[in-house]
Amino acid sequence: MPSPLTSLLHAARGAAIGLSEVVPGISGGTVALIVGVYERLITSAGHFVGSARLLLSDREAARREFAQVRWDVVIPVLLGMIPAVIIGARVLGPLVENHPVPTFALFLGMSLAAITVPAGMVGPAWTWPRVGLAAVVAAVVFLLVGVPPQQVPTHLVLVFLAAAVAVCALALPGLSGSFLLLTLGLYTPTITALNERQWVYIAVFGAGMVVGLSLFVRVLQHLLEKHHVLTLVVVTGIIAGAVRALWPWQDDDRTLLAPSGDLGLPVGLFFVGVGVVLGLAWLGRRGEEHQQAVEDAEEVAEAEHAGESRH
């Protein structure tokens, strides 16, 4: 049973993930990776989806899958994430729109520092072929996020499909669901629907998210479990290439421009963003170490209790 402090920390991590998802260019998956809950969330989501698929055909197998979901992590994260998305839609959206240069400078610093998280997790397993793979992935993502925004009709079928694609970015570090919606011209209608409680739009969007996540998360779970290092190498490349979306000086067609105007505030916020992420990553590692120590102690206590019971 997790302590109240642990649950509160997970809720705070969920809030950070939720806030990131309403800002174009910031990836909720990246934030989850930074704060140390990414792999547990993806693995839990994979087991939950597997349980749902097996429910009608093999209930015993469905129960085994369901039991592997880390509800002690998932529930607090969701409790923190959902209100943060609603609040962030009201606060961060206008902030990005009214003060884009300093806001994106802050996020640029955060994303550049975030590259160190998956790269550090690969650690000594880095080889020149893996460095090359990360560089190729970064180059491809760099080009993709430079595609000028499009405008698609806000037909509910397209809203459903856009949500299914955007939610994959939530699960994959480096890519921003909000940025994909912005590229498709659906970012503003989605934020408006959240703020004005347009329930039909929200329901269709939510259904698209559920379908998209259920199809994608099992793939990610498999990759993390069977090809852990290679997946982290690719994630490193994705985050590195996606920072292009956060360059503060670009026009409406996403053409990169040279820095201009008063640079003091943007540069200062850039380094604040770097410091915030490095601090969060450090806290995430400490939290992981503490949680692992608690779980190991609980396993030892259970083993000792079982041994005493046999005697």
Side-chain angles (χ1 to χ4, degrees), residues 105-106 109 266-276:
L106 173 68
V267 171
L269 289 174
F270 171 85
F271 285 108
V272 168
V274 171
V276 166

Side-chain angles (χ1 to χ4, degrees), residues 137-275:
V137 171
V140 171
V141 173
F142 185 90
L143 294 174
L144 288 177
V145 298
V147 174
Q150 309 298 311
Q151 190 64 47
V152 300
T154 53
H155 191 281
L156 290 180
V157 173
L158 295 176
V159 169
F160 178 91
L161 295 175
V165 173
V167 77
C168 295
L170 169 65
L172 189 62
L175 295 180
S176 162
S178 294
F179 186 81
L180 293 179
L181 291 177
L182 194 64
T183 300
L184 296 172
L186 289 174
Y187 176 75
T188 299
T190 302
I191 292 295
T192 301
L194 280 172
N195 289 335
E196 297 181 358
R197 308 296 187 268
Q198 298 174 12
W199 297 115
V200 173
Y201 187 107
I202 293 172
V204 172
F205 192 90
M209 289 181 66
V210 170
V211 172
L213 192 61
S214 65
L215 294 174
F216 186 61
V217 75
R218 291 289 279 184
V219 175
L220 263 182
Q221 180 193 13
H222 173 79
L223 291 174
L224 285 169
E225 290 179 350
K226 303 299 182 182
H227 308 282
H228 190 259
V229 171
L230 189 61
T231 302
L232 291 173
V233 168
V234 172
V235 165
T236 302
I238 291 173
I239 297 176
V243 297
R244 183 196 195 282
L246 295 168
W247 181 250
W249 299 275
Q250 51 185 299
D251 60 22
D252 292 339
D253 289 328
R254 295 180 180 163
T255 301
L256 302 182
L257 306 174
S260 59
D262 183 8
L263 300 181
L265 182 59
V267 171
L269 289 174
F270 171 85
F271 285 108
V272 168
V274 171

Side-chain angles (χ1 to χ4, degrees), residues 2-305:
S3 68
L5 178 58
T6 299
S7 297
L8 186 61
L9 289 173
H10 286 324
R13 292 175 176 121
I17 296 168
L19 288 173
S20 70
E21 275 305 307
V22 300
V23 178
I26 292 290
S27 165
T30 301
V31 175
L33 196 64
I34 291 168
V35 298
V37 293
Y38 177 74
E39 293 190 34
R40 281 177 289 177
L41 290 179
I42 292 299
T43 302
S44 293
H47 287 306
F48 181 79
V49 170
S51 174
R53 289 178 175 175
L54 291 168
L55 191 59
L56 296 179
S57 59
D58 189 340
R59 292 190 176 182
E60 183 58 36
R63 278 194 292 270
R64 288 196 299 270
E65 286 278 349
F66 192 79
Q68 294 185 69
V69 177
R70 289 292 303 273
W71 295 109
D72 60 317
V73 177
V74 173
I75 291 176
V77 166
L78 288 177
L79 289 176
M81 183 177 174
I82 293 171
V85 169
I86 297 172
I87 295 170
R90 289 188 175 275
V91 177
L92 290 181
L95 190 64
V96 171
E97 185 176 346
N98 297 327
H99 306 283
V101 171
T103 305
F104 277 103
L106 173 68
F107 296 149
L108 178 64
M110 294 176 68
S111 290
L112 282 173
I115 297 172
T116 64
V117 178
M121 293 170 73
V122 176
W126 279 108
T127 60
W128 283 114
R130 286 170 177 163
V131 171
L133 174 61
V136 170
V137 171
V140 171
V141 173
F142 185 90
L143 294 174
L144 288 177
V145 298
V147 174
Q150 309 298 311
Q151 190 64 47
V152 300
T154 53
H155 191 281
L156 290 180
V157 173
L158 295 176
V159 169
F160 178 91
L161 295 175
V165 173
V167 77
C168 295
L170 169 65
L172 189 62
L175 295 180
S176 162
S178 294
F179 186 81
L180 293 179
L181 291 177
L182 194 64
T183 300
L184 296 172
L186 289 174
Y187 176 75
T188 299
T190 302
I191 292 295
T192 301
L194 280 172
N195 289 335
E196 297 181 358
R197 308 296 187 268
Q198 298 174 12
W199 297 115
V200 173
Y201 187 107
I202 293 172
V204 172
F205 192 90
M209 289 181 66
V210 170
V211 172
L213 192 61
S214 65
L215 294 174
F216 186 61
V217 75
R218 291 289 279 184
V219 175
L220 263 182
Q221 180 193 13
H222 173 79
L223 291 174
L224 285 169
E225 290 179 350
K226 303 299 182 182
H227 308 282
H228 190 259
V229 171
L230 189 61
T231 302
L232 291 173
V233 168
V234 172
V235 165
T236 302
I238 291 173
I239 297 176
V243 297
R244 183 196 195 282
L246 295 168
W247 181 250
W249 299 275
Q250 51 185 299
D251 60 22
D252 292 339
D253 289 328
R254 295 180 180 163
T255 301
L256 302 182
L257 306 174
S260 59
D262 183 8
L263 300 181
L265 182 59
V267 171
L269 289 174
F270 171 85
F271 285 108
V272 168
V274 171
V276 166
V277 167
L278 294 180
L280 286 174
W282 181 80
L283 289 174
R285 288 194 299 271
R286 290 294 301 271
E288 287 288 296
E289 292 169 0
H290 174 73
Q291 184 64 29
Q292 187 61 51
V294 170
E295 291 176 358
D296 291 344
E298 289 176 349
E299 289 179 3
V300 170
E302 289 177 1
E304 291 177 348
H305 178 72

